[in-house]
Amino acid sequence: MTAILITVPELAEYTERWRSVSRSTARPQVPLTELIPPHVTVLVPWVAEPTDTDLARLQAAVASIEPFELSFPTAGQFPNGTAWLKPEPFDKVRSVLVSVFDAFPECPPYGGEFPDPHPHLTISSSAQGGPAVVAEANAALAAAPAPTVQLTELELWREDAEGVWHQIGAVPLGSATS
């Protein structure tokens, strides 16, 4: 499986306290920190084998979106218990997702399970999440905000047979080239 992500490795140390004790439902024996870096999912699943044409479509989809600062000032939770940090500016992040969705209508977000996804950075999966994690995260954010990062590109990732994700490429935002 492949995915388009906004990775934020700058938040790895900050989110370690939650992600290191949280497990994926697909790989419950392995903490999130060992499967994939902190990220906001743009589109998963993406095309199985990305071609030059797919990369060009993705580049065209984000060509008008210039790089911007990204912060994570608050935490929240989905009804299933998954705890997350909210990316800001939320509407700008959402517009990145919509641009990519529009470019790849054959790849519905989350296989169509969540057709209108809420951009987020998961800090705790549904099994380990919940109100206590959200309260702890909001207190931590109030005491010491998470690092702000400059979003300059979308990264392309592939999941291996062991369920671990590896970066396979990147596409710059805006008119920049990599």
Side-chain angles (χ1 to χ4, degrees), residues 11-153:
L11 268 70
E13 186 176 327
Y14 193 90
T15 61
E16 171 82 10
R17 64 190 112 182
W18 305 294
R19 295 181 81 246
S20 66
V21 296
S22 185
R23 306 289 195 259
S24 160
T25 54
R27 299 266 333 272
Q29 69 280 21
V30 181
L32 292 179
T33 52
E34 293 180 26
L35 297 177
I36 195 164
H39 67 279
V40 175
T41 300
V42 176
L43 182 60
V44 66
W46 189 39
V47 295
E49 294 298 329
T51 65
D52 289 343
T53 301
D54 295 320
L55 296 175
R57 285 168 62 194
L58 180 56
Q59 179 60 63
V62 298
S64 65
I65 302 170
E66 292 301 322
F68 59 94
E69 281 194 346
L70 188 59
S71 65
F72 296 85
T74 59
Q77 153 184 1
F78 291 124
N80 72 358
T82 298
W84 41 262
L85 301 182
K86 181 179 180 181
E88 291 290 353
F90 185 82
D91 290 342
K92 193 157 198 160
V93 174
R94 176 87 177 107
S95 73
V96 171
L97 273 65
V98 170
S99 293
V100 173
F101 299 164
D102 290 348
F104 293 93
E106 74 278 17
C107 301
Y110 298 98
E113 186 177 354
F114 304 104
D116 187 26
H118 178 282
H120 65 282
L121 187 153
T122 298
I123 57 170
S124 188
S125 69
S126 57
Q128 293 86 32
V133 172
V134 174
E136 180 185 327
N138 277 319
L141 290 162
T148 296
V149 299
Q150 184 72 15
L151 179 60
T152 60
E153 66 185 14

